Amino acid sequence: MKIALIGYGRMGKEIEKIALDRGHEISLKIDVDNQSDLTLENLKKCDVAIEFTIPTSAINNYNLCFEAGVPVVSGTTGWLDRKEEVYNSCLAKDGTFFYASNFSVGVNLFFELNRKLATLMAGRSEYGVEMTEVHHTQKLDAPSGTAISLADDILEVLPSKNAWVNDITPAENELNIKSEREGQVPGIHTVKYESDVDYIEITHSAKSRKGFAFGAVLAAEFSKENKGILSMKDLLKI
């Protein structure tokens, strides 16, 4: 495939390595220094775009890809308050949009484990629940998109909680997500259920960005062959 990399930071460079190893070509690389190269003409020369930027530019990038008829895979977080707008724009252009808060295969299996544990805990009022996410100091958003996905899945099935909050003392009906930023941590997510007598804790800890980048390339390969709004559930068939 000919891939456009929109965002060429640490994640973009890791994606490039894996894409090249899998026999793909990077036809277009967009960074802060050459944003003027992100044009319809240049995008139309590509088979798929992989977008890892920031929330303030992401939606314009998506719409440009839809206009160019290029499937777009995005891992940018912090824009989900406009999700319906983006999805409608994609479908109106008969486009393809693959979004994941986390492209790691392991994390997406962890999502399934989290949902299962929350279901088991739905009738156990003696257990309180909280979450912690730890990331590198360069991460701009908090809580992480992965933490929000985990929290939303818990809220769907746990009757005692109907909202999440970030780093504040929660009300009884709220799930607190603690966000910590330190060093070069790629990502650690922990969900903990605690009672007076014990606690149950599940954790996913990333060793590097490689797992995220590998998943993003898999998503790009999948998006080239499929249409519409796609997710890791579609890719992994879970």
Side-chain angles (χ1 to χ4, degrees), residues 148-160:
I148 292 173
S149 294
L150 290 164
D152 285 346
D153 286 342
I154 291 170
L155 297 179
E156 274 190 20
V157 297
L158 209 63
S160 60

Side-chain angles (χ1 to χ4, degrees), residues 54-194:
I54 57 176
T56 52
S57 61
I59 291 176
N60 286 339
N61 295 338
Y62 303 156
N63 286 327
L64 198 62
C65 290
F66 301 152
E67 189 70 28
V70 175
V72 57
V73 172
S74 182
T76 301
T77 57
W79 57 271
L80 291 179
D81 57 324
R82 296 176 66 184
K83 181 173 73 172
E84 186 175 351
E85 172 192 338
V86 171
Y87 285 7
N88 288 340
S89 178
C90 173
L91 295 174
K93 295 289 185 181
D94 193 29
T96 298
F97 182 71
F98 191 122
Y99 170 73
S101 60
N102 194 309
F103 284 94
S104 163
V105 172
V107 163
N108 282 275
L109 297 176
F110 186 67
F111 286 154
E112 295 300 307
L113 179 60
N114 174 60
R115 278 189 284 269
K116 178 63 175 177
L117 182 55
T119 301
L120 293 173
M121 285 295 185
R124 301 289 178 182
S125 59
E126 68 269 30
Y127 285 91
V129 60
E130 66 177 18
M131 289 177 52
T132 304
E133 57 99 354
V134 187
H135 281 87
H136 52 86
T137 54
Q138 290 79 35
K139 186 167 182 60
L140 300 177
D141 56 320
S144 68
T146 300
I148 292 173
S149 294
L150 290 164
D152 285 346
D153 286 342
I154 291 170
L155 297 179
E156 274 190 20
V157 297
L158 209 63
S160 60
K161 305 294 180 186
N162 57 28
W164 60 261
V165 294
N166 186 219
D167 282 334
I168 65 172
T169 301
E172 190 173 338
N173 66 319
E174 294 175 333
L175 166 61
N176 188 33
I177 305 173
K178 299 177 182 177
S179 295
E180 300 174 9
R181 298 290 176 262
E182 59 183 58
Q184 297 299 315
V185 178
I188 303 170
H189 293 86
T190 299
V191 180
K192 182 178 182 180
Y193 291 85
E194 186 167 11

